[in-house]
Amino acid sequence: RRRNMHMAEGQRKVKLYTGSYNAPVVTGDGSVYLGKGKGIQVFLFDEEEGKLEAFESYPDVKNASWMTFSPDGRTLYAVNELDDYEDTKGGALSALSVDENGRLSLQNCLPVMGAAPCHVDCGPGGGHVFTANYNGGSLSSFVTGEDGCLKVMDCQISYQLKEDRPEGCNQVRQEKSHVHSASVFRGHLWVADLGTDEISVYKLDESGRIMGGREGGVPKACHVVKLPAGSGPRSLAFREDGHIYVSCELSDEIGILHWEGSRILLEGFVSCTPEKGDGGERNFPGGILLSKDGNYLYAGNRGHDSIAVFDAGGSGLPKCIQWISSGGKNPRGFQLSPSERWLLGANQNSDNLVVFRRNKETGTLTEHARYDVGAVVCLVFLR
């Protein structure tokens, strides 16, 4: 009997978890959005054929706009991007256990005490979980139990605009602090604030607790990276050689940082879209993603409705090699499959998921298939 030459049958189908909007939420421009999502949906993805198959759905999980697994893969953490969870004037964070078949069950849900949490990540060892609260302008830190449940919020850091705001700020989108992501890299927590054009960096201990001297009981950042006014830092991608890429939502660029010992240097910017003439639509890039080898960088263009592909090469300085249609409107989250032979993208406003075939040698993409899925904005594979 002939066997599959690429991978065994048990490895062909991997589980993809998607988060979507299914409850009202206040957006960045102040309008209220109600998506057609179904909470968290789980799909089987065939690594050979590039096909999706529905597996399970969890509609009771509201506005799961970002998700991450614990390091052991036994718990899925999902933010609930809400503005008033249980009269707390903020959103929430849910911990869901993952059984041996990949099915989910809710362990518990705690308020983050900040409006519209939109990003979550785990500390080293999984002892702490962090949420970025967009409308709340704050970061929340939670202690987790051995079973992955949320025990208590042990720290919250609020950010404020400085009175002497420089020229070039976006008066509508940067009217206050908007914490957009909180990412863990090399034992540090990197907090991107779209409202203040700053990235604050905090050292973590082995349990994931935020370290550093405290001012008024609040941890002090060990680094603060100031970007040009009007940049609007949103999401981060990290390369093992110390290069860090920042999607700048308001300036339509990717910022390039280099972490060298005790210094973090700003090396420059590259455009996320081709040159446009007068009257071109604003773009507002969102998600950003690196291949495992660090050679290729992908950025979602939400106004241009495209995915930009960059060759980061040996230097770490990205050069765009492709712009490809996202296959829908408002591409938000996207993810590489475990084999990296495929990239899957979520188009929020056209309610679809698009599968792209990926050339691992060149990094370039070719559209493969489209699926109707409501208001999906986040994708994560169970590895």
Side-chain angles (χ1 to χ4, degrees), residues 118-166:
C118 59
H119 191 267
V120 58
D121 205 0
C122 290
H128 284 71
V129 181
F130 309 99
T131 69
N133 310 318
Y134 181 83
N135 285 335
S138 61
L139 167 85
S140 299
S141 168
F142 292 85
V143 180
T144 63
E146 292 185 1
D147 61 355
C149 72
L150 304 170
K151 295 178 68 175
V152 65
M153 185 172 74
D154 69 331
C155 177
Q156 186 167 55
I157 303 174
S158 296
Y159 300 85
Q160 305 292 332
L161 291 179
K162 296 178 174 60
E163 293 183 2
D164 54 340
R165 294 286 282 157

mmCIF file of all heavy atoms in Angstrom, residues 118-166:
data_model
loop_
_atom_site.group_PDB
_atom_site.id
_atom_site.type_symbol
_atom_site.label_atom_id
_atom_site.label_comp_id
_atom_site.label_asym_id
_atom_site.label_seq_id
_atom_site.Cartn_x
_atom_site.Cartn_y
_atom_site.Cartn_z
ATOM 1 N N CYS A 118 -7.967 43.621 23.352
ATOM 2 C CA CYS A 118 -7.850 43.203 21.949
ATOM 3 C C CYS A 118 -6.640 42.322 21.686
ATOM 4 O O CYS A 118 -6.399 41.944 20.540
ATOM 5 C CB CYS A 118 -7.799 44.433 21.037
ATOM 6 S SG CYS A 118 -6.426 45.549 21.387
ATOM 7 N N HIS A 119 -5.873 41.980 22.723
ATOM 8 C CA HIS A 119 -4.681 41.145 22.529
ATOM 9 C C HIS A 119 -4.364 40.437 23.835
ATOM 10 O O HIS A 119 -4.611 40.975 24.923
ATOM 11 C CB HIS A 119 -3.484 42.001 22.098
ATOM 12 C CG HIS A 119 -2.300 41.212 21.633
ATOM 13 N ND1 HIS A 119 -1.278 40.844 22.476
ATOM 14 C CD2 HIS A 119 -1.982 40.710 20.409
ATOM 15 C CE1 HIS A 119 -0.367 40.158 21.784
ATOM 16 N NE2 HIS A 119 -0.770 40.065 20.539
ATOM 17 N N VAL A 120 -3.809 39.219 23.730
ATOM 18 C CA VAL A 120 -3.439 38.453 24.921
ATOM 19 C C VAL A 120 -2.202 37.633 24.600
ATOM 20 O O VAL A 120 -2.028 37.152 23.477
ATOM 21 C CB VAL A 120 -4.605 37.544 25.388
ATOM 22 C CG1 VAL A 120 -5.027 36.580 24.286
ATOM 23 C CG2 VAL A 120 -4.253 36.792 26.655
ATOM 24 N N ASP A 121 -1.320 37.473 25.592
ATOM 25 C CA ASP A 121 -0.139 36.627 25.441
ATOM 26 C C ASP A 121 0.237 36.049 26.798
ATOM 27 O O ASP A 121 -0.164 36.585 27.852
ATOM 28 C CB ASP A 121 1.030 37.407 24.844
ATOM 29 C CG ASP A 121 2.030 36.504 24.127
ATOM 30 O OD1 ASP A 121 1.814 35.276 24.094
ATOM 31 O OD2 ASP A 121 3.029 37.027 23.592
ATOM 32 N N CYS A 122 1.013 34.948 26.788
ATOM 33 C CA CYS A 122 1.426 34.261 28.007
ATOM 34 C C CYS A 122 2.874 34.570 28.346
ATOM 35 O O CYS A 122 3.709 34.722 27.450
ATOM 36 C CB CYS A 122 1.291 32.746 27.837
ATOM 37 S SG CYS A 122 -0.384 32.135 27.770
ATOM 38 N N GLY A 123 3.154 34.615 29.632
ATOM 39 C CA GLY A 123 4.523 34.764 30.083
ATOM 40 C C GLY A 123 5.253 33.438 30.014
ATOM 41 O O GLY A 123 4.658 32.389 29.761
ATOM 42 N N PRO A 124 6.581 33.447 30.240
ATOM 43 C CA PRO A 124 7.359 32.204 30.222
ATOM 44 C C PRO A 124 6.848 31.229 31.284
ATOM 45 O O PRO A 124 6.608 31.605 32.422
ATOM 46 C CB PRO A 124 8.783 32.684 30.524
ATOM 47 C CG PRO A 124 8.616 34.015 31.190
ATOM 48 C CD PRO A 124 7.387 34.618 30.604
ATOM 49 N N GLY A 125 6.636 29.994 30.887
ATOM 50 C CA GLY A 125 6.119 29.000 31.818
ATOM 51 C C GLY A 125 4.620 29.035 31.967
ATOM 52 O O GLY A 125 4.040 28.139 32.587
ATOM 53 N N GLY A 126 3.966 30.060 31.432
ATOM 54 C CA GLY A 126 2.513 30.136 31.492
ATOM 55 C C GLY A 126 1.947 30.568 32.826
ATOM 56 O O GLY A 126 0.741 30.484 33.053
ATOM 57 N N GLY A 127 2.793 31.075 33.747
ATOM 58 C CA GLY A 127 2.305 31.467 35.065
ATOM 59 C C GLY A 127 1.520 32.754 35.081
ATOM 60 O O GLY A 127 0.797 33.038 36.038
ATOM 61 N N HIS A 128 1.681 33.571 34.032
ATOM 62 C CA HIS A 128 0.953 34.833 33.925
ATOM 63 C C HIS A 128 0.425 35.009 32.505
ATOM 64 O O HIS A 128 1.009 34.501 31.547
ATOM 65 C CB HIS A 128 1.851 36.026 34.263
ATOM 66 C CG HIS A 128 2.101 36.207 35.733
ATOM 67 N ND1 HIS A 128 2.901 35.348 36.463
ATOM 68 C CD2 HIS A 128 1.641 37.138 36.607
ATOM 69 C CE1 HIS A 128 2.940 35.765 37.732
ATOM 70 N NE2 HIS A 128 2.190 36.840 37.845
ATOM 71 N N VAL A 129 -0.674 35.737 32.405
ATOM 72 C CA VAL A 129 -1.270 36.077 31.120
ATOM 73 C C VAL A 129 -1.524 37.574 31.112
ATOM 74 O O VAL A 129 -1.924 38.158 32.128
ATOM 75 C CB VAL A 129 -2.591 35.306 30.891
ATOM 76 C CG1 VAL A 129 -3.190 35.646 29.542
ATOM 77 C CG2 VAL A 129 -2.365 33.811 31.004
ATOM 78 N N PHE A 130 -1.293 38.213 29.937
ATOM 79 C CA PHE A 130 -1.386 39.664 29.828
ATOM 80 C C PHE A 130 -2.387 40.052 28.740
ATOM 81 O O PHE A 130 -2.416 39.453 27.668
ATOM 82 C CB PHE A 130 -0.016 40.260 29.476
ATOM 83 C CG PHE A 130 1.092 39.789 30.369
ATOM 84 C CD1 PHE A 130 1.939 38.757 29.958
ATOM 85 C CD2 PHE A 130 1.281 40.338 31.626
ATOM 86 C CE1 PHE A 130 2.961 38.309 30.772
ATOM 87 C CE2 PHE A 130 2.297 39.889 32.457
ATOM 88 C CZ PHE A 130 3.143 38.874 32.037
ATOM 89 N N THR A 131 -3.199 41.056 29.028
ATOM 90 C CA THR A 131 -4.120 41.580 28.024
ATOM 91 C C THR A 131 -3.826 43.052 27.749
ATOM 92 O O THR A 131 -3.482 43.811 28.662
ATOM 93 C CB THR A 131 -5.591 41.452 28.457
ATOM 94 O OG1 THR A 131 -5.864 42.339 29.556
ATOM 95 C CG2 THR A 131 -5.926 40.027 28.849
ATOM 96 N N ALA A 132 -3.956 43.431 26.473
ATOM 97 C CA ALA A 132 -3.889 44.835 26.061
ATOM 98 C C ALA A 132 -5.308 45.337 25.910
ATOM 99 O O ALA A 132 -6.100 44.756 25.162
ATOM 100 C CB ALA A 132 -3.127 44.958 24.741
ATOM 101 N N ASN A 133 -5.644 46.410 26.625
ATOM 102 C CA ASN A 133 -7.011 46.916 26.663
ATOM 103 C C ASN A 133 -7.087 48.214 25.856
ATOM 104 O O ASN A 133 -6.673 49.279 26.322
ATOM 105 C CB ASN A 133 -7.438 47.149 28.110
ATOM 106 C CG ASN A 133 -7.166 45.929 28.981
ATOM 107 O OD1 ASN A 133 -7.401 44.794 28.568
ATOM 108 N ND2 ASN A 133 -6.654 46.156 30.185
ATOM 109 N N TYR A 134 -7.619 48.117 24.629
ATOM 110 C CA TYR A 134 -7.536 49.206 23.663
ATOM 111 C C TYR A 134 -8.249 50.467 24.149
ATOM 112 O O TYR A 134 -7.621 51.536 24.299
ATOM 113 C CB TYR A 134 -8.105 48.751 22.318
ATOM 114 C CG TYR A 134 -8.041 49.814 21.248
ATOM 115 C CD1 TYR A 134 -6.871 50.019 20.519
ATOM 116 C CD2 TYR A 134 -9.132 50.631 20.973
ATOM 117 C CE1 TYR A 134 -6.788 51.003 19.547
ATOM 118 C CE2 TYR A 134 -9.060 51.613 19.995
ATOM 119 C CZ TYR A 134 -7.901 51.794 19.292
ATOM 120 O OH TYR A 134 -7.830 52.779 18.335
ATOM 121 N N ASN A 135 -9.537 50.391 24.387
ATOM 122 C CA ASN A 135 -10.272 51.590 24.808
ATOM 123 C C ASN A 135 -9.984 51.972 26.253
ATOM 124 O O ASN A 135 -10.184 53.115 26.654
ATOM 125 C CB ASN A 135 -11.778 51.394 24.613
ATOM 126 C CG ASN A 135 -12.189 51.497 23.156
ATOM 127 O OD1 ASN A 135 -11.509 52.133 22.356
ATOM 128 N ND2 ASN A 135 -13.300 50.868 22.796
ATOM 129 N N GLY A 136 -9.489 51.015 27.044
ATOM 130 C CA GLY A 136 -9.145 51.312 28.429
ATOM 131 C C GLY A 136 -7.778 51.942 28.574
ATOM 132 O O GLY A 136 -7.453 52.492 29.633
ATOM 133 N N GLY A 137 -6.937 51.865 27.526
ATOM 134 C CA GLY A 137 -5.593 52.430 27.605
ATOM 135 C C GLY A 137 -4.759 51.796 28.695
ATOM 136 O O GLY A 137 -3.991 52.480 29.380
ATOM 137 N N SER A 138 -4.869 50.471 28.854
ATOM 138 C CA SER A 138 -4.208 49.833 29.980
ATOM 139 C C SER A 138 -3.746 48.421 29.628
ATOM 140 O O SER A 138 -4.164 47.829 28.628
ATOM 141 C CB SER A 138 -5.152 49.764 31.191
ATOM 142 O OG SER A 138 -6.312 49.002 30.891
ATOM 143 N N LEU A 139 -2.878 47.903 30.493
ATOM 144 C CA LEU A 139 -2.391 46.531 30.437
ATOM 145 C C LEU A 139 -2.834 45.828 31.706
ATOM 146 O O LEU A 139 -2.724 46.381 32.794
ATOM 147 C CB LEU A 139 -0.866 46.519 30.354
ATOM 148 C CG LEU A 139 -0.217 45.162 30.610
ATOM 149 C CD1 LEU A 139 -0.181 44.337 29.335
ATOM 150 C CD2 LEU A 139 1.173 45.314 31.207
ATOM 151 N N SER A 140 -3.351 44.605 31.587
ATOM 152 C CA SER A 140 -3.742 43.819 32.755
ATOM 153 C C SER A 140 -2.939 42.533 32.800
ATOM 154 O O SER A 140 -2.726 41.888 31.771
ATOM 155 C CB SER A 140 -5.238 43.487 32.715
ATOM 156 O OG SER A 140 -6.020 44.664 32.732
ATOM 157 N N SER A 141 -2.498 42.149 34.008
ATOM 158 C CA SER A 141 -1.711 40.933 34.222
ATOM 159 C C SER A 141 -2.474 40.007 35.163
ATOM 160 O O SER A 141 -2.968 40.438 36.210
ATOM 161 C CB SER A 141 -0.349 41.292 34.825
ATOM 162 O OG SER A 141 0.321 40.136 35.286
ATOM 163 N N PHE A 142 -2.553 38.718 34.784
ATOM 164 C CA PHE A 142 -3.284 37.734 35.578
ATOM 165 C C PHE A 142 -2.361 36.593 35.974
ATOM 166 O O PHE A 142 -1.558 36.109 35.174
ATOM 167 C CB PHE A 142 -4.459 37.167 34.781
ATOM 168 C CG PHE A 142 -5.556 38.157 34.509
ATOM 169 C CD1 PHE A 142 -5.468 39.011 33.418
ATOM 170 C CD2 PHE A 142 -6.647 38.244 35.344
ATOM 171 C CE1 PHE A 142 -6.470 39.933 33.159
ATOM 172 C CE2 PHE A 142 -7.651 39.161 35.091
ATOM 173 C CZ PHE A 142 -7.572 40.009 34.003
ATOM 174 N N VAL A 143 -2.512 36.136 37.221
ATOM 175 C CA VAL A 143 -1.852 34.923 37.687
ATOM 176 C C VAL A 143 -2.721 33.733 37.289
ATOM 177 O O VAL A 143 -3.941 33.782 37.403
ATOM 178 C CB VAL A 143 -1.657 34.948 39.213
ATOM 179 C CG1 VAL A 143 -0.972 33.675 39.694
ATOM 180 C CG2 VAL A 143 -0.865 36.169 39.637
ATOM 181 N N THR A 144 -2.076 32.664 36.818
ATOM 182 C CA THR A 144 -2.816 31.465 36.442
ATOM 183 C C THR A 144 -2.508 30.312 37.385
ATOM 184 O O THR A 144 -1.433 30.253 37.993
ATOM 185 C CB THR A 144 -2.480 31.037 34.999
ATOM 186 O OG1 THR A 144 -1.099 30.699 34.919
ATOM 187 C CG2 THR A 144 -2.783 32.158 34.027
ATOM 188 N N GLY A 145 -3.465 29.388 37.499
ATOM 189 C CA GLY A 145 -3.273 28.200 38.313
ATOM 190 C C GLY A 145 -2.563 27.116 37.532
ATOM 191 O O GLY A 145 -2.328 27.227 36.331
ATOM 192 N N GLU A 146 -2.223 26.013 38.213
ATOM 193 C CA GLU A 146 -1.540 24.908 37.549
ATOM 194 C C GLU A 146 -2.392 24.298 36.444
ATOM 195 O O GLU A 146 -1.868 23.731 35.485
ATOM 196 C CB GLU A 146 -1.151 23.836 38.578
ATOM 197 C CG GLU A 146 -0.067 24.296 39.546
ATOM 198 C CD GLU A 146 0.386 23.175 40.466
ATOM 199 O OE1 GLU A 146 -0.142 22.045 40.318
ATOM 200 O OE2 GLU A 146 1.250 23.425 41.323
ATOM 201 N N ASP A 147 -3.716 24.401 36.583
ATOM 202 C CA ASP A 147 -4.611 23.867 35.562
ATOM 203 C C ASP A 147 -4.909 24.883 34.464
ATOM 204 O O ASP A 147 -5.705 24.615 33.567
ATOM 205 C CB ASP A 147 -5.921 23.396 36.192
ATOM 206 C CG ASP A 147 -6.676 24.521 36.898
ATOM 207 O OD1 ASP A 147 -6.135 25.654 36.988
ATOM 208 O OD2 ASP A 147 -7.804 24.272 37.357
ATOM 209 N N GLY A 148 -4.255 26.064 34.530
ATOM 210 C CA GLY A 148 -4.434 27.088 33.511
ATOM 211 C C GLY A 148 -5.526 28.086 33.783
ATOM 212 O O GLY A 148 -5.670 29.062 33.033
ATOM 213 N N CYS A 149 -6.322 27.890 34.825
ATOM 214 C CA CYS A 149 -7.414 28.821 35.113
ATOM 215 C C CYS A 149 -6.859 30.174 35.554
ATOM 216 O O CYS A 149 -5.706 30.291 35.974
ATOM 217 C CB CYS A 149 -8.344 28.254 36.173
ATOM 218 S SG CYS A 149 -7.637 28.247 37.839
ATOM 219 N N LEU A 150 -7.680 31.202 35.453
ATOM 220 C CA LEU A 150 -7.306 32.540 35.893
ATOM 221 C C LEU A 150 -7.578 32.676 37.382
ATOM 222 O O LEU A 150 -8.694 32.437 37.844
ATOM 223 C CB LEU A 150 -8.110 33.590 35.113
ATOM 224 C CG LEU A 150 -7.983 33.517 33.588
ATOM 225 C CD1 LEU A 150 -9.002 34.439 32.933
ATOM 226 C CD2 LEU A 150 -6.579 33.869 33.147
ATOM 227 N N LYS A 151 -6.548 33.042 38.149
ATOM 228 C CA LYS A 151 -6.712 33.133 39.600
ATOM 229 C C LYS A 151 -7.046 34.548 40.047
ATOM 230 O O LYS A 151 -8.026 34.776 40.740
ATOM 231 C CB LYS A 151 -5.452 32.630 40.304
ATOM 232 C CG LYS A 151 -5.192 31.142 40.073
ATOM 233 C CD LYS A 151 -3.911 30.683 40.751
ATOM 234 C CE LYS A 151 -4.028 30.724 42.265
ATOM 235 N NZ LYS A 151 -2.803 30.154 42.906
ATOM 236 N N VAL A 152 -6.209 35.505 39.657
ATOM 237 C CA VAL A 152 -6.413 36.874 40.119
ATOM 238 C C VAL A 152 -5.644 37.825 39.211
ATOM 239 O O VAL A 152 -4.619 37.450 38.638
ATOM 240 C CB VAL A 152 -5.930 37.029 41.584
ATOM 241 C CG1 VAL A 152 -4.423 36.829 41.697
ATOM 242 C CG2 VAL A 152 -6.343 38.379 42.162
ATOM 243 N N MET A 153 -6.148 39.040 39.052
ATOM 244 C CA MET A 153 -5.392 40.077 38.366
ATOM 245 C C MET A 153 -4.417 40.681 39.373
ATOM 246 O O MET A 153 -4.842 41.294 40.349
ATOM 247 C CB MET A 153 -6.320 41.161 37.797
ATOM 248 C CG MET A 153 -5.579 42.206 36.974
ATOM 249 S SD MET A 153 -6.682 43.358 36.110
ATOM 250 C CE MET A 153 -7.220 44.363 37.507
ATOM 251 N N ASP A 154 -3.120 40.484 39.132
ATOM 252 C CA ASP A 154 -2.125 40.923 40.117
ATOM 253 C C ASP A 154 -1.509 42.275 39.793
ATOM 254 O O ASP A 154 -0.776 42.835 40.609
ATOM 255 C CB ASP A 154 -1.023 39.877 40.256
ATOM 256 C CG ASP A 154 -0.147 39.753 39.027
ATOM 257 O OD1 ASP A 154 -0.652 40.020 37.906
ATOM 258 O OD2 ASP A 154 1.039 39.389 39.157
ATOM 259 N N CYS A 155 -1.795 42.816 38.591
ATOM 260 C CA CYS A 155 -1.186 44.098 38.227
ATOM 261 C C CYS A 155 -1.966 44.726 37.082
ATOM 262 O O CYS A 155 -2.441 44.023 36.183
ATOM 263 C CB CYS A 155 0.271 43.880 37.819
ATOM 264 S SG CYS A 155 1.136 45.364 37.272
ATOM 265 N N GLN A 156 -2.091 46.043 37.122
ATOM 266 C CA GLN A 156 -2.638 46.776 35.988
ATOM 267 C C GLN A 156 -1.848 48.072 35.818
ATOM 268 O O GLN A 156 -1.557 48.769 36.792
ATOM 269 C CB GLN A 156 -4.116 47.099 36.172
ATOM 270 C CG GLN A 156 -4.728 47.748 34.923
ATOM 271 C CD GLN A 156 -6.244 47.784 34.962
ATOM 272 O OE1 GLN A 156 -6.828 48.296 35.904
ATOM 273 N NE2 GLN A 156 -6.886 47.237 33.927
ATOM 274 N N ILE A 157 -1.488 48.361 34.571
ATOM 275 C CA ILE A 157 -0.732 49.566 34.252
ATOM 276 C C ILE A 157 -1.581 50.403 33.292
ATOM 277 O O ILE A 157 -1.995 49.917 32.237
ATOM 278 C CB ILE A 157 0.624 49.233 33.593
ATOM 279 C CG1 ILE A 157 1.444 48.315 34.500
ATOM 280 C CG2 ILE A 157 1.400 50.515 33.299
ATOM 281 C CD1 ILE A 157 2.723 47.814 33.861
ATOM 282 N N SER A 158 -1.835 51.639 33.664
ATOM 283 C CA SER A 158 -2.588 52.561 32.812
ATOM 284 C C SER A 158 -1.633 53.564 32.187
ATOM 285 O O SER A 158 -0.651 53.988 32.815
ATOM 286 C CB SER A 158 -3.656 53.298 33.628
ATOM 287 O OG SER A 158 -4.618 52.388 34.120
ATOM 288 N N TYR A 159 -1.928 53.942 30.961
ATOM 289 C CA TYR A 159 -1.055 54.846 30.202
ATOM 290 C C TYR A 159 -1.813 56.134 29.901
ATOM 291 O O TYR A 159 -3.029 56.137 29.699
ATOM 292 C CB TYR A 159 -0.595 54.175 28.901
ATOM 293 C CG TYR A 159 0.182 52.906 29.154
ATOM 294 C CD1 TYR A 159 -0.471 51.690 29.339
ATOM 295 C CD2 TYR A 159 1.567 52.923 29.244
ATOM 296 C CE1 TYR A 159 0.240 50.525 29.587
ATOM 297 C CE2 TYR A 159 2.286 51.759 29.493
ATOM 298 C CZ TYR A 159 1.616 50.565 29.674
ATOM 299 O OH TYR A 159 2.319 49.412 29.937
ATOM 300 N N GLN A 160 -1.073 57.229 29.856
ATOM 301 C CA GLN A 160 -1.673 58.542 29.663
ATOM 302 C C GLN A 160 -0.938 59.312 28.578
ATOM 303 O O GLN A 160 0.273 59.136 28.379
ATOM 304 C CB GLN A 160 -1.621 59.359 30.972
ATOM 305 C CG GLN A 160 -2.252 58.671 32.166
ATOM 306 C CD GLN A 160 -3.743 58.524 32.038
ATOM 307 O OE1 GLN A 160 -4.404 59.331 31.373
ATOM 308 N NE2 GLN A 160 -4.301 57.493 32.669
ATOM 309 N N LEU A 161 -1.682 60.163 27.880
ATOM 310 C CA LEU A 161 -1.048 61.083 26.936
ATOM 311 C C LEU A 161 -0.272 62.151 27.685
ATOM 312 O O LEU A 161 -0.668 62.563 28.786
ATOM 313 C CB LEU A 161 -2.105 61.767 26.067
ATOM 314 C CG LEU A 161 -2.865 60.918 25.046
ATOM 315 C CD1 LEU A 161 -3.866 61.800 24.318
ATOM 316 C CD2 LEU A 161 -1.915 60.279 24.053
ATOM 317 N N LYS A 162 0.826 62.594 27.096
ATOM 318 C CA LYS A 162 1.555 63.713 27.665
ATOM 319 C C LYS A 162 0.900 65.017 27.215
ATOM 320 O O LYS A 162 0.313 65.105 26.137
ATOM 321 C CB LYS A 162 3.022 63.668 27.216
ATOM 322 C CG LYS A 162 3.759 62.432 27.727
ATOM 323 C CD LYS A 162 5.176 62.399 27.235
ATOM 324 C CE LYS A 162 5.945 61.256 27.868
ATOM 325 N NZ LYS A 162 5.357 59.936 27.557
ATOM 326 N N GLU A 163 0.982 66.020 28.062
ATOM 327 C CA GLU A 163 0.317 67.291 27.760
ATOM 328 C C GLU A 163 0.909 67.964 26.527
ATOM 329 O O GLU A 163 0.192 68.573 25.730
ATOM 330 C CB GLU A 163 0.404 68.219 28.970
ATOM 331 C CG GLU A 163 -0.403 67.731 30.171
ATOM 332 C CD GLU A 163 -0.352 68.714 31.316
ATOM 333 O OE1 GLU A 163 0.285 69.792 31.140
ATOM 334 O OE2 GLU A 163 -0.931 68.432 32.379
ATOM 335 N N ASP A 164 2.225 67.862 26.352
ATOM 336 C CA ASP A 164 2.874 68.524 25.218
ATOM 337 C C ASP A 164 2.970 67.570 24.029
ATOM 338 O O ASP A 164 4.049 67.136 23.632
ATOM 339 C CB ASP A 164 4.265 69.030 25.604
ATOM 340 C CG ASP A 164 5.133 67.929 26.201
ATOM 341 O OD1 ASP A 164 4.584 66.916 26.661
ATOM 342 O OD2 ASP A 164 6.367 68.093 26.186
ATOM 343 N N ARG A 165 1.842 67.226 23.455
ATOM 344 C CA ARG A 165 1.809 66.322 22.309
ATOM 345 C C ARG A 165 2.433 66.991 21.094
ATOM 346 O O ARG A 165 2.129 68.133 20.751
ATOM 347 C CB ARG A 165 0.363 65.933 21.998
ATOM 348 C CG ARG A 165 -0.292 65.097 23.077
ATOM 349 C CD ARG A 165 0.228 63.673 23.079
ATOM 350 N NE ARG A 165 -0.380 62.884 22.022
ATOM 351 C CZ ARG A 165 0.137 61.804 21.499
ATOM 352 N NH1 ARG A 165 1.322 61.398 21.895
ATOM 353 N NH2 ARG A 165 -0.478 61.134 20.557
ATOM 354 N N PRO A 166 3.331 66.274 20.384
ATOM 355 C CA PRO A 166 4.017 66.882 19.241
ATOM 356 C C PRO A 166 3.098 66.996 18.028
ATOM 357 O O PRO A 166 2.049 66.333 17.945
ATOM 358 C CB PRO A 166 5.158 65.904 18.964
ATOM 359 C CG PRO A 166 4.645 64.595 19.471
ATOM 360 C CD PRO A 166 3.807 64.925 20.667
#
